[in-house]
Amino acid sequence: MKFFVVFALLLASAYASPTIFQRGLVVPILDDSVEGRITNGQTASTGQFPYQVGLSLQVSSTSSAWCGGSLIGSKYVLTAAHCTDGILQVTVYLGATQRTSAELTYTVSSSDIIIHSGWSSRTLRNDISLIKIPSVSYTSRIQAVPLPAVSSSYSTYAGDSAVISGWGRISDSATSVTNSLQYATVQVITNTVCASTFGSTYVTSGNICIATTGGVSTCNGDSGGPLVLQSTGVLIGVTSYGSSAGCAKGYPAAFSRVTAFRDWIQTNSGI
């Protein structure tokens, strides 16, 4: 799992633009508490994001990583492929606002993870995976997020407002710890604008991107987490990558576009 071995995944590019990194965060397994939060976000209230999932991923016998995810049904969590690629097991935190104070947790092995067969750590394409968990009963703090209707498959969402959430770093220079779930409202941009930073090799029809105006963005530790359309509450993106120049530098942030993977999700989860 190359991403977890090399903290910032540097990719050769012909573009005069920042290199790309994926937004998980590796930490020692005995000190799984050095993540921060979404840069320049707000603190979520209890139950505000009942679909938000925290993932503590065991990379090896001595290290683990932190990512986010979205509960999309009573038995499935949707997250990023680069979070789950090569891990030994994952502890799923459900109904948490404080990062590891969950209403419910499950630990499942790698055999319960379905990674998209087209996932490429080189091009970052098809950065999406499913985690199967024991069936969970919904509560006020644990609810599935709806997926876009098939009729929305051709919507770009460009110009629409969306909400990001997670426990990723608070800033590029942050060293302090926060356990509180963070969120922010952002604007979706066109893939053409996004590709002007990262290039068309990485920004494809399987991606959706946001502007990070004012330094509001996803950051390390937010990988796999949700991008939800503000007007309807449907899940439209899975946090994937951003600029290695920094989370709060104003460069776009990229997600896996959920509408591009509706068939894959349905085939593998029945949802």
Side-chain angles (χ1 to χ4, degrees):
M1 185 167 57
K2 295 180 181 177
F3 167 67
F4 290 123
V5 176
V6 182
F7 174 69
L9 178 62
L10 300 181
L11 301 172
S13 174
Y15 297 87
S17 62
T19 49
I20 294 169
F21 76 93
Q22 292 173 303
R23 293 190 160 165
L25 185 57
V26 177
V27 296
I29 200 165
L30 297 180
D31 184 19
D32 193 26
S33 60
V34 298
E35 295 77 27
R37 55 189 178 187
I38 282 173
T39 55
N40 299 301
Q42 303 176 65
T43 300
S45 58
T46 300
Q48 186 175 358
F49 299 102
Y51 52 79
Q52 176 75 48
V53 173
L55 302 174
S56 181
L57 306 131
Q58 186 177 348
V59 181
S60 69
S61 60
T62 58
S63 64
S64 67
W66 182 265
C67 278
S70 301
L71 187 67
I72 62 168
S74 61
K75 295 182 180 180
Y76 286 95
V77 171
L78 190 67
T79 188
H82 78 261
C83 288
T84 56
D85 188 6
I87 66 168
L88 302 178
Q89 65 179 27
V90 55
T91 299
V92 179
Y93 292 83
L94 299 157
T97 303
Q98 297 302 302
R99 188 168 63 86
T100 56
S101 297
E103 184 170 327
L104 186 63
T105 63
Y106 290 119
T107 297
V108 299
S109 69
S110 58
S111 62
D112 292 307
I113 296 170
I114 305 167
I115 296 176
H116 195 289
S117 61
W119 155 240
S120 170
S121 60
R122 182 180 62 84
T123 65
L124 313 185
R125 294 183 182 181
N126 304 305
D127 189 11
I128 198 163
S129 66
L130 285 162
I131 301 172
K132 187 176 182 180
I133 60 174
S135 184
V136 60
S137 298
Y138 296 145
T139 70
S140 61
R141 292 170 55 188
I142 301 175
Q143 295 282 334
V145 63
L147 299 178
V150 174
S151 60
S152 301
S153 296
Y154 297 101
S155 176
T156 67
Y157 301 109
D160 288 340
S161 294
V163 179
I164 51 176
S165 53
W167 291 273
R169 291 198 300 154
I170 185 175
S171 71
D172 294 318
S173 60
T175 57
S176 60
V177 175
T178 179
N179 285 322
S180 299
L181 181 64
Q182 300 291 300
Y183 73 98
T185 302
V186 293
Q187 187 176 56
V188 178
I189 59 175
T190 66
N191 279 18
T192 300
V193 171
C194 195
S196 68
T197 294
F198 298 123
S200 57
T201 298
Y202 304 109
V203 181
T204 70
S205 59
N207 293 116
I208 186 170
C209 297
I210 61 167
T212 61
T213 306
V216 176
S217 182
T218 53
C219 202
N220 307 69
D222 288 323
S223 274
L227 175 72
V228 171
L229 193 65
Q230 187 178 44
S231 60
T232 63
V234 302
L235 182 69
I236 59 173
V238 174
T239 305
S240 182
Y241 65 84
S243 169
S244 64
C247 305
K249 300 296 184 182
Y251 296 106
F255 301 72
S256 295
R257 185 183 290 270
V258 174
T259 53
F261 298 100
R262 284 291 284 112
D263 288 346
W264 180 85
I265 293 168
Q266 183 173 359
T267 298
N268 288 281
S269 70
I271 299 172

